[in-house]
């Protein structure tokens, strides 16, 4: 199992490198000009736009298909982070009972008790190889990408005026199809993750339903190009969750572990009875 995880992590890193190379090649091959001044607009946004336009050129200057392909490249680029986040999340779920036991030992919340509790929690995280902040990494990485994409749409004429199916990329989706799809894929991904958790709590359950609503509200107030990014990105997230965080496989592994533990305890009790005789 560990070997398979290591191989998958290595493959995701290689895939990310290939995605980055493709994005760079697309930007270099783009023959048009993209204006901008300063480091943010002249370097970051300009190269971001060049890459999107370069990818779009491979699809006959279809900017909707270009954004879809570019989104997939972005998701492949951050795949190693997502794999790391998933592995850390699985470990966090497994140590959750021990974490609750530690918290129960310190009902008081004075400075001394808090320090002792945090010390035990840190020791538990270290022993289990858990990084409690790993879940924030993909979000931290994706926020600049979203900001850059939004700015690129607003400052690049081709993306501002381009169309894809029923939507004008620089305008809101007047049919609300893209916001609805973005919300549905967000819910599907969150629900799959929730299914694989050993224990459900009110926070996890509420966020499973709140996040799709938030995504829908955001998506109806931003350009369709950004909504399209969310649709493709969240659809990729569903496929990724099913592949590396399949709740049914997690449940089978957890049940097998419980059965093995019960068999071990049964064998120990049997051995003790035989020793007493």
């Amino acid at each position: 199992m560990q070997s398979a995880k290591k191989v998958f992590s290595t493959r995701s890193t290689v895939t990310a490198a290939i995605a980055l190379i493709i994005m760079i090649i697309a930007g270099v091959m783009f023959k048009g000009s993209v204006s901008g001044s300063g480091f943010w607009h002249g370097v970051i946004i300009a190269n971001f736009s060049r890459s999107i336009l370069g990818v779009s050129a491979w699809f006959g200057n279809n900017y909707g298909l270009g954004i879809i392909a570019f989104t997939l490249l972005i998701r492949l680029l951050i795949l190693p982070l997502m794999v790391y986040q998933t592995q850390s999340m699985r470990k966090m779920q497994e140590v959750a009972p021990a974490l609750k036991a530690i918290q129960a030992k310190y009902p008081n919340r004075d400075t001394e008790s808090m320090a002792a509790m945090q010390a035990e929690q840190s020791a538990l995280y270290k022993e289990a190889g858990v990084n409690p902040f790993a879940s924030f990494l993909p979000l931290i990485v994706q926020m600049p990408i979203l900001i850059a994409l939004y700015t690129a749409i607003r400052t690049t004429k081709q993306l501002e005026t381009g169309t894809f199916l029923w939507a004008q990329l620089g305008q809101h989706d007047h049919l609300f199809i893209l916001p609805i799809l973005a919300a549905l894929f967000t819910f599907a991904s969150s629900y799959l993750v929730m299914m694989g958790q050993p224990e459900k709590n009110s926070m996890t359950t509420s966020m499973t339903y709140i996040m799709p609503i938030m995504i829908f509200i955001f998506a109806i107030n931003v350009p369709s190009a950004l909504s399209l990014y969310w649709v493709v990105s969240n659809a990729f997230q569903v496929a990724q969750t099913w592949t590396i965080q399949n709740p049914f496989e997690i449940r089978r592994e957890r049940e097998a572990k419980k059965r093995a533990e019960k068999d071990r305890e049964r064998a120990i009790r049997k051995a003790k009875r035989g020793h007493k005789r």
Side-chain angles (χ1 to χ4, degrees):
M1 181 63 70
Q2 286 297 117
S3 178
K5 288 181 179 179
K6 187 175 181 180
V7 169
F8 188 83
S9 296
T10 301
R11 287 179 178 175
S12 67
T13 302
V14 173
T15 302
I18 294 173
L20 179 60
I21 292 171
I22 292 173
M23 292 166 68
I24 293 173
I25 290 174
V28 171
M29 291 181 62
F30 178 65
K31 302 301 181 181
S33 60
V34 178
S35 61
S37 60
F39 177 76
W40 176 248
H41 287 280
V43 178
I44 302 298
I45 301 303
N47 285 309
F48 206 85
S49 298
R50 289 181 64 86
S51 186
I52 297 174
L53 295 173
V55 172
S56 300
W58 296 342
F59 295 95
N61 290 325
N62 186 316
Y63 301 110
L65 291 178
I67 288 175
I68 291 174
F70 187 79
T71 303
L72 293 175
L73 289 172
I74 289 290
R75 292 296 310 202
L76 293 174
L77 180 62
I78 65 172
L79 185 58
L81 282 178
M82 302 301 294
V83 172
Y84 176 65
Q85 178 205 33
T86 300
Q87 292 173 347
S88 295
M89 187 182 300
R90 287 284 304 274
K91 292 177 181 177
M92 281 290 293
Q93 291 172 357
E94 298 305 322
V95 302
L99 195 61
K100 284 186 176 181
I102 292 174
Q103 293 170 347
K105 285 174 58 179
Y106 301 96
N108 298 324
R109 289 297 180 261
D110 55 89
T111 304
E112 185 177 348
S113 297
M114 289 294 291
M117 182 177 72
Q118 289 172 2
E120 286 198 41
Q121 287 177 340
S122 297
L124 176 64
Y125 291 147
K126 185 177 181 179
E127 182 181 353
V130 173
N131 182 354
F133 303 105
S135 59
F136 296 104
L137 285 175
L139 179 63
I140 293 172
V141 171
Q142 287 193 77
M143 281 306 296
I145 293 173
L146 288 172
I147 294 171
L149 179 59
Y150 179 83
T151 307
I153 294 165
R154 288 307 191 194
T155 57
T156 306
K157 184 178 180 181
Q158 296 95 316
L159 299 178
E160 176 74 19
T161 59
T163 59
F164 180 66
L165 299 178
W166 66 89
Q168 183 170 328
L169 298 175
Q171 303 297 323
H172 311 313
D173 181 1
H174 64 285
L175 297 179
F176 303 108
I177 295 175
L178 293 175
I180 291 172
L181 289 176
L184 288 175
F185 283 126
T186 300
F187 174 77
S189 175
S190 300
Y191 190 76
L192 285 174
V193 172
M194 185 178 70
M195 285 178 62
Q197 293 178 341
E199 297 180 0
K200 296 179 178 59
N201 55 61
S202 57
M203 175 64 73
T204 303
T205 304
S206 60
M207 288 306 295
T208 299
Y209 295 95
I210 291 174
M211 279 304 297
I213 296 173
M214 292 177 61
I215 288 294
F216 176 77
I217 293 173
F218 289 145
I220 63 176
N221 290 288
V222 297
S224 294
L226 200 57
S227 297
L228 181 59
Y229 171 86
W230 268 326
V231 170
V232 178
S233 182
N234 293 339
F236 186 97
Q237 180 69 30
V238 172
Q240 175 186 290
T241 302
W242 186 265
T243 303
I244 64 177
Q245 201 176 353
N246 190 304
F248 302 103
E249 183 64 30
I250 291 173
R251 286 179 175 180
R252 283 194 292 268
E253 290 178 4
R254 192 174 292 128
E255 289 171 1
K257 187 177 179 180
K258 287 181 179 179
R259 285 196 299 269
E261 184 63 25
K262 288 180 179 179
D263 291 342
R264 189 182 70 85
E265 292 176 354
R266 191 179 299 112
I268 292 174
R269 289 195 299 268
K270 185 177 180 180
K272 286 181 178 180
R273 287 196 298 268
H275 181 71
K276 288 180 180 179
R277 292 175 185 173

